Amino acid sequence: MNNLNKMDINRTHCLHMRRLLIDTYQERVVYMRSDCQAYQSEGFEAKSRVEVWRGEQHIIASLHVVHSSSMLALDEVGLSEAAWSALGGADGDTIQVKRPAPLQSFSSVRAKIYDQRFTSKSISLVVQDVVAGRYSDIEMAALITACSGSRMDVSETIALTEAMIAVGQRMQWNSDRVVDKHCIGGLPGNRTTLLVVPIVAACGLTIPKTSSRAITSPAGTADTMETMAPVKLDIPRIKRVVERENGCIAWGGAVNLSPADDLLIRVENPLGLDSEGLMVASILSKKIAAGSTHVVIDIPVGPSAKIRSLDAAHILSARLVAVGSALGITVQTVITDGAQPVGRGVGPALEALDVLDVLQNAATAPDDLRQRALLLAAKVLELGQKAQPGEGMALARTVLESGAAWHKFQAICEAQGGFRQPPKAMYTHEMTSEHRGRVVAIDNQVIARIAKLAGAPKVPAAGLTFHAPLGSVLEVGQPYLTIHAQSPGELAYARSYAESQKNLISLQ
Amino acid sequence: MNNLNKMDINRTHCLHMRRLLIDTYQERVVYMRSDCQAYQSEGFEAKSRVEVWRGEQHIIASLHVVHSSSMLALDEVGLSEAAWSALGGADGDTIQVKRPAPLQSFSSVRAKIYDQRFTSKSISLVVQDVVAGRYSDIEMAALITACSGSRMDVSETIALTEAMIAVGQRMQWNSDRVVDKHCIGGLPGNRTTLLVVPIVAACGLTIPKTSSRAITSPAGTADTMETMAPVKLDIPRIKRVVERENGCIAWGGAVNLSPADDLLIRVENPLGLDSEGLMVASILSKKIAAGSTHVVIDIPVGPSAKIRSLDAAHILSARLVAVGSALGITVQTVITDGAQPVGRGVGPALEALDVLDVLQNAATAPDDLRQRALLLAAKVLELGQKAQPGEGMALARTVLESGAAWHKFQAICEAQGGFRQPPKAMYTHEMTSEHRGRVVAIDNQVIARIAKLAGAPKVPAAGLTFHAPLGSVLEVGQPYLTIHAQSPGELAYARSYAESQKNLISLQ
C-alpha cells in the first residue's frame, strides 16, 4: 500500500491568471487546460464549479476546459470578462483553483421545488449566496422557477423582500414623507414616470425616483430618460439632485439598492418569467432601499399586458399593500387600462419624444399618455398631502399646462448632467394595412417584440411608432406602424417578424 | 426612408468555422469577435442564442463574444467541442450565423410554471425542441424545475413519456412477451441486472437490457458490464446478441432510445433534482422504446437512498404502474431495503468482481447481492410466465446454483464481443475503525462520494470495498473500508475526504 503524507494531501497548485477578453455576459467562466496538473489532480471536469483565489479575494466560476496549447500556457488559468472584473488583479498574478464548498443554501431551493416553504433564515441565506455569485446560471433558473407562478406566500414574500434589502445600499432622507410611483410594466410606451416626477417635484414633494432599464420590454424608464440626460448617478449625486430639485430620474442599477434583484433579473429576462412573489419583492425592496414612505403603484390590466385580468390585478395589489405594510411603507395601487400601447413611440428615444410633446403641451402630444400621467401624479400629490382627496387632478393639470412641469424636467436633467435631444434612427419601414377595417385588438407582446427585434433598448433610437389605436379605422394601404432601426439587418429582422404576425392588430 | 430590397434583407454573412478545442460539457457555444461584421449587423450580444448553418446542417448555440484578435480571425467563428461535434464539418468550412426563430414551445413551459397543465401537443413540441438543441441551459433548468416535485399529473407524465419515445429509436421483437428489469438507483453496488439477465435469459425469456452509465453515482450497470465485455452495441448488434442468447446487457446511450432524457439529465444532474414525473417518463420511455412488454422495477428505500420513505415509494410505484398501463406495458414494482450498499464493491470493476463471485457460486459471494438478484429474477420469471406465482424463486435459485446462469453470462459476453476479467487498481488504502462498536448506520452518499473521488466510474478499477455491513461489530483498528485508486493523487483525495466524514458509519 502506498503511504501519502499530509503535504501531498493538502497541496495546492500555483497557477497564473490571464484575461482572455471573452464576454460571457454576467456568467463567470474560467478556462483551464486539460493537461494541467491542478485540473487533473482535483478531478475537475467541464462545467465544474470552481473557486478561484487571488490572495484574499475569491470568486466562484464555471470551468471550461481547453484541449489545446494555443490559448493558454500549462500553468495559466483564463478568465472571462465577468470573472476578471469580479476577481480583480492583473495578468500573471498567482491564483489557486479549488473545489468550492457545496452550495448549502440550494438545498432550501430544492425543498421549495418539492413544495416546502422558505423561512426568513433560509431565503436570507439564498439571497446572500446569490449576491456572492455562488449560484450558477442553472441554479438561478431553478430558483426563479421555484418562486414563480403563485408559489410564494405573503410571509415568504416579506422575508424575500427583507433579505433583498439587507444585502444592498439604503438611502436616507430628511423629509418624513418621501413619495414614489411605480408601474408594473408590460405596456409599451407607458413612460408616465418622466411626467409624474416633474409634476410632483414642482409641487415640492420629495421624489427620489430610481428606475430600471428594460428587463423583458423594449425600453425601461431609465433607458428612455438616458436619451435625454445622464442616469448613472451614484448616491451622493442623487442626493445633490434631489436636494436641489426635489426629484430625480436615475438608473437604479448604478446605486446597488437591490443587488440580488439585479442578478435575478439577468436570468428572469431570457426566461421571460414575471412572478408575483419575485415582482413584489423586487419592487418593494427597491422602494424601501430608496427611502420611500408612500408609493403609488400603477397596475395596467389588459389581454396582452403583464397583468391580464382584474382578478390577477387585485391579488397583486393586495400582496403589494400587505407586504408594504408589514415593512412599514404605505402602498396605494391604481388599476389602469392596459389594452393597448400608451403614446405612439415604443423604444427609448421614440418614447422620449412622446414625453417631450406632453411636457411642452404640443398639439400633437399623445393624450392617453398625458391622461395617465395626470391620474398618477394626482394620486401621488394626494398621498403626499399636497392636495386634498379628489383635488390632485386639478393641481397636476395646472402644473403641466403652466409649463412648470417642463421647466422642472429641464432643471432635473441639468442637475443630472445636462439635457440632450433623443436620437433618430437611420432606417425606417412602414407597415401598411392590407384590409379596410376598425382596429378592435392589439397584441402588446407582438408590438414589444417587433421593437426589440429592431434593436430596442440597446439601440436607443430603435423601436417603432404605432399609428392605429383601438377604434381607429384603417384604409387599404394606410400605414399603421413604422419600424425604426440603426442597421439594415435589424430592420429586416423586425419587419419579417412583423409580417408573420397575423394578430398584431385585429380589424373588424 | 431607406429602401431595402430582398437581397439586403436575406443577405447572410460568410464566415468560417474553427474548432477551438474548448470543452463546455454538452453546452453548445460559439465564439465570435465583437468587431466582426455579422456580429455587429445582426445586433447580437454576449449569451445571445444564435443559429449556425453549415450547408443544410444547423445547430443552435450560445454566443460568447471575443474582444481580442489573438483567438480568432475576423471572419472566423469558434466552436466549442459540443457545437463542433453537433454541426460536423472541418476547420475553414463556410458557415452562416443568424438569429434563431423565437422558441415558441417555451411559452408552454412558462404556462406550466404559472400552474397550467401541459397538453400532449404542447409537451411534444417542448421535447422536440429539446432534442433539436433549441433549449439553452437555463431554459432546460426552468423546464426541469417546472416538472419537479409533484407538479406533473398522470396524464402529463403519460404525454411526456410518449413524446420522449417519439423522438428516439425504437426496437421491435418477434416475441410477444419481452421482459425487462430496472432499479431506481441510489444504492451503491446494486448490480442485480448482471445476475437477473443471465438467469432469466437461461430460462428462455427475451430480455434485451439496455443500461445507463453512472449519472451521479460511482458506477452504472453499463460501466460495470464494460469491465467484462463490450457494451457499445448498435441496434443490429443488440438484435443479433438477443436472437442468439435471449438477452444482452448493452449501454443505452449507444442506441439513442430516449435522446430527450439524455439531454434533460445533464441539467438534472448538477441541480440534484429527481422528480417523480421526469423519473417515470425517463424510465418508461426507455423501456417502451426497447420494446419491452413486462417490466419489474426495483425501488430501494432508505434514509440515504434516492427514495427515502415508504410513502414516496408507494406514490412512485402507483405512478409507474398507471403510466405503464396507459402506454400498454405491464409494470410491477418491488420495494426493497435501501439502507446500505449492496455487495462489497463500489466502482465498476469492484462491483463486477462481486457479480462474478455470485455467478460462480463462490463461498465468499456477497449474500445480499445474491438474494436481491434472486428476488428480482423470480418476479421477472413469474411476470414472463416461466414460473407460476410463488415459484419463481425456486427456479431462479436452481438456474444460478446449477451454473446455467454463469454459463449464460459468459455466452452473452462472448456474443457482445468477448469476456474479459475486470481490472485491479494499483493503489489501495484501508480505513480502520478508531472505536469498538456495532455498525448502526451507513451514509450511502458518503460511500458513493469516496468511490467517485478515488476515480470511479471514469477509472474502472477505482472505488472501494466495504467490509462493515449494518449489524457487524468492529474492533479498534479493524478495517471497514478499502479505497482503490489508479493514482496516488486520487487515493489521497478520496482518503482525506473519507477521514473528514464522521457520519460515514455510525457505531453504537
Side-chain angles (χ1 to χ4, degrees):
Chain A
M1 185 176 309
N2 291 55
N3 211 335
L4 293 163
N5 62 32
K6 280 282 173 196
M7 281 291 287
D8 287 322
I9 293 168
N10 294 327
R11 83 209 170 290
T12 50
H13 302 277
C14 272
L15 295 161
H16 302 283
M17 63 193 272
R18 188 159 135 219
R19 182 177 185 174
L20 286 184
L21 290 159
I22 297 177
D23 184 356
T24 52
Y25 193 39
Q26 292 180 30
E27 192 188 4
R28 295 169 184 177
V29 178
V30 299
Y31 303 80
M32 280 176 94
R33 273 179 53 175
S34 53
D35 51 354
C36 116
Q37 199 209 344
Y39 171 77
Q40 294 186 334
S41 64
E42 290 288 333
F44 292 142
E45 48 196 292
K47 289 279 196 144
S48 285
R49 298 288 285 169
V50 295
E51 202 170 78
V52 184
W53 285 83
R54 184 183 66 80
E56 297 298 302
Q57 289 290 318
H58 76 280
I59 59 167
I60 307 237
S62 284
L63 178 64
H64 288 188
V65 180
V66 178
H67 296 290
S68 107
S69 56
S70 64
M71 245 174 89
L72 289 171
L74 201 53
D75 67 342
E76 279 182 334
V77 174
L79 277 76
S80 75
E81 290 298 280
W84 180 266
S85 63
L87 188 60
D91 273 328
D93 280 3
T94 298
I95 56 173
Q96 284 160 12
V97 181
K98 306 195 291 190
R99 286 172 183 269
L103 185 62
Q104 302 287 0
S105 73
F106 194 75
S107 63
S108 61
V109 177
R110 224 178 272 120
K112 177 75 190 162
I113 294 169
Y114 297 140
D115 294 324
Q116 290 171 50
R117 294 175 62 253
F118 281 123
T119 62
S120 288
K121 175 81 181 165
S122 72
I123 193 77
S124 152
L125 294 172
V126 168
V127 167
Q128 284 168 31
D129 279 342
V130 165
V131 170
R134 294 197 188 98
Y135 272 57
S136 69
D137 280 6
I138 62 167
E139 285 160 345
M140 292 280 273
L143 166 63
I144 286 160
T145 305
C147 295
S148 289
S150 52
R151 300 222 167 81
M152 298 278 280
D153 68 19
V154 175
S155 67
E156 286 175 294
T157 309
I158 293 169
L160 174 61
T161 310
E162 284 182 310
M164 286 168 72
I165 296 166
V167 293
Q169 292 193 63
R170 211 162 163 172
M171 290 198 271
Q172 310 275 343
W173 303 98
N174 293 327
S175 176
D176 61 345
R177 200 164 276 256
V178 178
V179 298
D180 207 340
K181 63 81 59 180
H182 184 85
C183 176
I184 293 301
L187 212 51
N190 196 15
R191 289 288 85 84
T192 53
T193 290
L194 302 180
L195 299 162
V196 173
V197 170
I199 292 171
V200 164
C203 295
L205 279 174
T206 303
I207 183 163
K209 181 85 184 89
T210 61
S211 294
S212 55
R213 296 194 185 279
I215 302 169
T216 53
S217 70
T221 294
D223 301 310
T224 300
M225 181 66 177
E226 200 172 35
T227 68
M228 297 179 283
V231 295
K232 282 186 211 162
L233 314 181
D234 58 16
I235 288 184
R237 182 71 184 257
I238 288 178
K239 289 226 152 212
R240 283 201 303 278
V241 174
V242 174
E243 272 159 23
R244 200 172 102 182
E245 302 297 343
N246 300 332
C248 69
I249 303 165
W251 173 44
V255 288
N256 216 29
L257 290 177
S258 189
D261 190 50
D262 298 341
L263 292 167
L264 291 171
I265 277 173
R266 88 178 153 102
V267 177
E268 275 173 65
N269 179 358
L271 292 178
L273 289 179
D274 279 310
S275 108
E276 205 173 280
L278 290 172
M279 211 189 294
V280 169
S282 165
I283 295 166
L284 295 185
S285 66
K286 289 184 172 175
K287 299 302 160 204
I288 294 168
S292 304
T293 60
H294 293 75
V295 183
V296 172
I297 298 180
D298 177 11
I299 307 179
V301 177
S304 55
K306 197 175 273 190
I307 305 298
R308 303 196 173 183
S309 70
L310 271 178
D311 276 357
H314 287 304
I315 292 170
L316 178 61
S317 169
R319 179 67 58 96
L320 283 162
V321 172
V323 174
S325 160
L327 297 173
I329 66 168
T330 305
V331 174
Q332 187 177 330
T333 61
V334 187
I335 295 175
T336 60
D337 176 18
Q340 60 181 333
V342 180
R344 281 183 300 261
V346 179
L350 296 162
E351 296 178 26
L353 293 173
D354 282 351
V355 166
L356 291 175
D357 276 355
V358 174
L359 282 170
Q360 295 165 4
N361 295 296
T364 53
D367 194 54
D368 57 343
L369 175 62
R370 183 172 184 274
Q371 294 303 335
R372 294 179 84 96
L374 288 173
L375 172 68
L376 292 168
K379 295 283 179 194
V380 176
L381 290 170
E382 291 169 13
L383 200 62
Q385 298 184 331
K386 287 290 169 182
Q388 291 300 311
E391 294 174 9
M393 180 58 96
L395 175 57
R397 193 178 295 122
T398 306
V399 173
L400 182 63
E401 287 173 359
S402 70
W406 170 223
H407 184 78
K408 175 57 78 178
F409 183 79
Q410 289 170 290
I412 290 172
C413 288
E414 285 310 318
Q416 292 192 187
F419 174 78
R420 56 200 175 208
Q421 277 294 333
K424 284 208 160 62
M426 282 178 60
Y427 302 92
T428 59
H429 171 78
E430 277 187 351
M431 306 278 300
T432 53
S433 185
E434 292 176 8
H435 308 281
R436 183 182 191 285
R438 206 164 54 86
V439 179
V440 293
I442 297 161
D443 190 325
N444 289 340
Q445 303 211 325
V446 171
I447 294 275
R449 178 127 188 99
I450 295 169
K452 283 163 73 179
L453 294 178
K458 226 179 35 171
V459 179
L464 59 87
T465 39
F466 188 71
H467 318 297
L470 286 177
S472 60
V473 174
L474 290 178
E475 303 295 333
V476 174
Q478 184 178 336
Y480 62 90
L481 185 153
T482 307
I483 304 172
H484 301 244
Q486 286 291 49
S487 79
E490 285 164 317
L491 188 68
Y493 194 45
R495 176 181 163 179
S496 116
Y497 172 77
E499 283 167 354
S500 75
Q501 295 300 310
K502 297 303 158 207
N503 296 329
L504 201 172
I505 54 171
S506 308
L507 301 183
Q508 210 175 51
Chain B
M1 185 176 308
N2 290 56
N3 210 335
L4 292 164
N5 61 33
K6 281 282 173 190
M7 282 291 287
D8 286 326
I9 291 167
N10 295 327
R11 90 204 168 297
T12 49
H13 301 278
C14 274
L15 296 161
H16 302 283
M17 62 193 273
R18 188 159 136 219
R19 183 176 185 175
L20 285 184
L21 290 159
I22 298 177
D23 184 356
T24 52
Y25 192 37
Q26 292 179 29
E27 191 187 4
R28 295 167 184 178
V29 177
V30 299
Y31 303 81
M32 282 176 92
R33 274 177 54 173
S34 53
D35 52 354
C36 118
Q37 199 210 342
Y39 171 78
Q40 294 185 336
S41 65
E42 291 287 333
F44 293 141
E45 49 195 293
K47 289 278 199 145
S48 285
R49 297 289 282 168
V50 295
E51 202 169 78
V52 184
W53 286 82
R54 183 183 66 81
E56 296 298 302
Q57 289 289 321
H58 75 280
I59 58 168
I60 308 233
S62 284
L63 179 64
H64 288 187
V65 180
V66 178
H67 296 291
S68 107
S69 56
S70 64
M71 244 175 89
L72 289 171
L74 202 51
D75 67 342
E76 278 182 333
V77 174
L79 276 76
S80 75
E81 290 298 279
W84 180 266
S85 62
L87 188 60
D91 272 330
D93 280 3
T94 299
I95 56 172
Q96 286 158 11
V97 181
K98 305 194 295 191
R99 285 169 182 270
L103 185 63
Q104 302 286 2
S105 72
F106 194 74
S107 62
S108 59
V109 177
R110 225 177 271 121
K112 176 74 191 162
I113 294 169
Y114 297 141
D115 293 324
Q116 291 171 49
R117 295 175 59 253
F118 281 122
T119 63
S120 290
K121 175 81 182 163
S122 71
I123 192 80
S124 153
L125 293 171
V126 168
V127 168
Q128 284 168 32
D129 280 342
V130 165
V131 170
R134 293 198 189 100
Y135 273 57
S136 68
D137 280 6
I138 62 167
E139 285 159 344
M140 292 280 273
L143 166 63
I144 285 161
T145 306
C147 296
S148 289
S150 52
R151 300 223 168 79
M152 299 277 280
D153 67 20
V154 175
S155 67
E156 288 175 294
T157 310
I158 293 168
L160 174 60
T161 311
E162 284 183 310
M164 286 168 74
I165 297 166
V167 294
Q169 292 193 64
R170 207 160 166 175
M171 291 198 269
Q172 310 277 340
W173 304 97
N174 293 326
S175 177
D176 61 343
R177 202 164 273 257
V178 178
V179 298
D180 208 341
K181 62 80 60 180
H182 183 85
C183 176
I184 292 302
L187 212 51
N190 196 15
R191 288 288 87 81
T192 53
T193 290
L194 303 179
L195 299 163
V196 173
V197 170
I199 293 171
V200 164
C203 296
L205 280 173
T206 303
I207 184 163
K209 181 86 185 90
T210 61
S211 295
S212 55
R213 295 194 186 279
I215 302 168
T216 53
S217 70
T221 293
D223 301 312
T224 301
M225 181 66 177
E226 201 172 33
T227 67
M228 297 179 282
V231 295
K232 283 187 208 159
L233 313 182
D234 58 15
I235 287 185
R237 181 71 185 256
I238 288 177
K239 288 227 151 210
R240 283 203 302 280
V241 174
V242 174
E243 271 159 26
R244 201 171 104 182
E245 302 296 346
N246 300 331
C248 71
I249 303 164
W251 174 43
V255 290
N256 216 29
L257 291 176
S258 190
D261 189 51
D262 298 341
L263 292 167
L264 291 171
I265 278 173
R266 86 178 155 102
V267 178
E268 276 173 65
N269 179 356
L271 291 178
L273 289 178
D274 276 310
S275 109
E276 205 173 278
L278 290 172
M279 212 190 291
V280 168
S282 165
I283 295 166
L284 295 184
S285 66
K286 289 185 172 173
K287 299 302 161 203
I288 294 169
S292 304
T293 60
H294 293 75
V295 183
V296 172
I297 298 179
D298 177 12
I299 308 178
V301 177
S304 55
K306 197 175 271 186
I307 306 298
R308 304 199 173 182
S309 71
L310 269 178
D311 276 356
H314 286 304
I315 292 170
L316 178 61
S317 169
R319 181 63 60 95
L320 283 163
V321 171
V323 174
S325 160
L327 296 172
I329 66 167
T330 305
V331 174
Q332 189 180 328
T333 60
V334 187
I335 295 175
T336 60
D337 176 19
Q340 60 180 334
V342 180
R344 281 183 300 259
V346 179
L350 296 162
E351 296 179 27
L353 292 172
D354 282 351
V355 166
L356 291 174
D357 276 355
V358 174
L359 283 170
Q360 295 166 3
N361 294 297
T364 54
D367 195 54
D368 57 343
L369 175 61
R370 184 173 183 275
Q371 294 302 337
R372 293 180 85 96
L374 287 173
L375 172 68
L376 292 167
K379 295 282 179 195
V380 175
L381 290 170
E382 290 169 13
L383 201 61
Q385 297 185 331
K386 289 290 170 184
Q388 292 300 312
E391 295 175 8
M393 181 57 99
L395 175 58
R397 193 179 294 121
T398 304
V399 173
L400 181 62
E401 286 174 358
S402 69
W406 170 222
H407 184 76
K408 176 56 81 179
F409 183 78
Q410 288 170 291
I412 290 172
C413 288
E414 285 309 319
Q416 291 191 188
F419 174 79
R420 55 201 177 209
Q421 277 293 334
K424 285 207 157 65
M426 283 177 60
Y427 302 91
T428 59
H429 171 78
E430 276 187 350
M431 307 278 299
T432 53
S433 185
E434 292 177 7
H435 307 280
R436 185 183 190 285
R438 205 164 54 86
V439 179
V440 293
I442 298 162
D443 191 324
N444 289 340
Q445 304 210 328
V446 171
I447 294 276
R449 180 131 185 92
I450 295 169
K452 285 165 71 178
L453 294 178
K458 242 184 1 187
V459 179
L464 59 86
T465 40
F466 187 70
H467 319 296
L470 287 177
S472 59
V473 174
L474 289 178
E475 303 296 332
V476 174
Q478 184 177 335
Y480 62 91
L481 186 152
T482 308
I483 303 173
H484 301 244
Q486 286 291 51
S487 79
E490 284 165 316
L491 188 69
Y493 197 43
R495 175 182 162 178
S496 119
Y497 173 78
E499 284 168 352
S500 74
Q501 295 300 309
K502 297 301 158 211
N503 296 328
L504 201 172
I505 53 170
S506 308
L507 301 182
Q508 211 175 50

